[in-house]
Amino acid sequence: MRSEAGGVLEVVRRAGVVELVLSRPAALNSLSPDLVAALDRACADVEADDAVRCVVVRGSGRAFCAGGDLSAATAAESAEPGGAARYFDAISAVLRRVERLPVPVVAAVHGWAVAGGLELVLCCDLVLATASARFGDAHARYGLVPGGGGSVRLPRRIGVGPAKWLMYTAESVPAEQMQRWGLVNEVVPDDGLADATARLTALLAGRSPDGLRAMKLLVDAQADLTLDEALAHESRVSARHVAAGGAAEGWAAFAGKRQPDFGRA
């Protein structure tokens, strides 16, 4: 099933998977105010739908996402002092909402993922990329500073040294380099992205939805906790998961020497 969200975001739903397709191909899917608002509405829909097992973010046309729409930022500042800052704050807020979605989020990247596009990738749990995809920060090229979380998430995901290199030079790197740095999980042939994404989402959709949601919460929470706090938190979440029956089907399948059936949306 397909639906349009404001004409700039295509929402595709099938078998528990929601694809959010950035649909401003002429502008390399840059994050216009309309697209930011559409992403926010789509996230709200996912949050309210327990049937969703995972989310895919991808771009239409020649690129994943070329970042913020600088013409929109300029127009916002011309209309009202501080307008550009509010525009970038809106981008930051929606990226945080993508990051905090309760289900696994997969970025399927082709073409360019730069500046705000890279910041969007950083908010996804898993990343697939074509061999020809390019990643970069790019803010320094235009005398800008990251406003969508790049200076925070990039060093946490790939390390301080590589993050500074990308941020200071504004150069881009291929998908294989990002895989070596740990951001990209799998590099696929240019014509293989759709198939690789379908395989991964089918795998995720077949796992326990309660288990995946709990694991995402645990992994995301540990960054703000000490080791002892994180271990105690894991113990509490694991115990609640078992008490609520979340492990029942897995245990029954193990005992019956069969594959577990967690159902499909």
Side-chain angles (χ1 to χ4, degrees):
M1 175 179 136
R2 294 171 180 261
S3 63
E4 294 292 333
V8 293
L9 180 72
E10 184 180 12
V11 181
V12 183
R13 298 173 178 269
R14 56 173 176 267
V17 178
V18 173
E19 287 195 6
L20 305 180
V21 187
L22 311 183
S23 299
R24 299 186 71 224
L28 299 181
N29 301 316
S30 58
L31 298 170
S32 66
D34 285 349
L35 179 50
V36 170
L39 276 171
D40 193 56
R41 292 192 297 272
C43 285
D45 290 342
V46 169
E47 292 163 355
D49 189 351
D50 289 339
V52 178
R53 300 294 185 88
C54 64
V55 171
V56 175
V57 182
R58 61 181 179 88
S60 61
R62 297 182 294 118
F64 176 77
C65 177
D69 187 330
L70 296 187
S71 62
T74 301
E77 189 65 25
S78 297
E80 184 180 5
R86 284 187 287 276
Y87 162 65
F88 289 125
D89 283 346
I91 292 178
S92 182
V94 80
L95 295 187
R96 181 61 169 151
R97 195 165 193 179
V98 170
E99 184 176 46
R100 299 181 73 176
L101 286 174
V103 296
V105 180
V106 178
V109 182
H110 77 289
W112 293 94
V114 296
L118 175 59
E119 289 174 320
L120 176 55
V121 173
L122 289 166
C123 292
C124 298
D125 300 294
L126 302 173
V127 182
L128 303 176
T130 62
S132 64
R134 304 283 300 189
F135 297 78
D137 179 71
H139 287 96
R141 190 178 304 277
Y142 301 101
L144 300 173
V145 173
S151 68
V152 178
R153 296 185 181 98
L154 190 60
R156 292 184 181 192
R157 290 289 289 270
I158 69 172
V160 172
K164 285 183 175 180
W165 191 90
L166 285 175
M167 292 171 64
Y168 296 173
T169 67
E171 294 295 305
S172 65
V173 297
E176 287 189 352
Q177 180 61 63
M178 275 302 198
Q179 186 179 37
R180 287 191 288 271
W181 281 339
L183 178 61
V184 172
N185 296 100
E186 183 180 359
V187 178
V188 302
D190 285 359
D191 61 356
L193 185 59
D195 287 343
T197 303
R199 286 194 300 271
L200 178 58
T201 55
L203 182 68
L204 295 174
R207 300 300 188 222
S208 162
D210 292 338
L212 290 183
R213 287 170 182 250
M215 284 189 282
K216 178 166 181 174
L217 283 173
L218 285 171
V219 173
D220 290 348
Q222 61 83 30
D224 299 319
L225 302 173
T226 67
L227 176 59
D228 286 340
E229 289 170 340
L231 291 172
H233 179 58
E234 180 188 70
S235 181
R236 290 191 297 271
V237 170
S238 179
R240 286 198 301 267
H241 178 68
V242 172
E249 169 59 16
W251 285 345
F254 179 78
K257 298 182 179 179
R258 60 174 174 81
Q259 289 295 315
D261 181 4
F262 298 108
R264 296 279 179 160

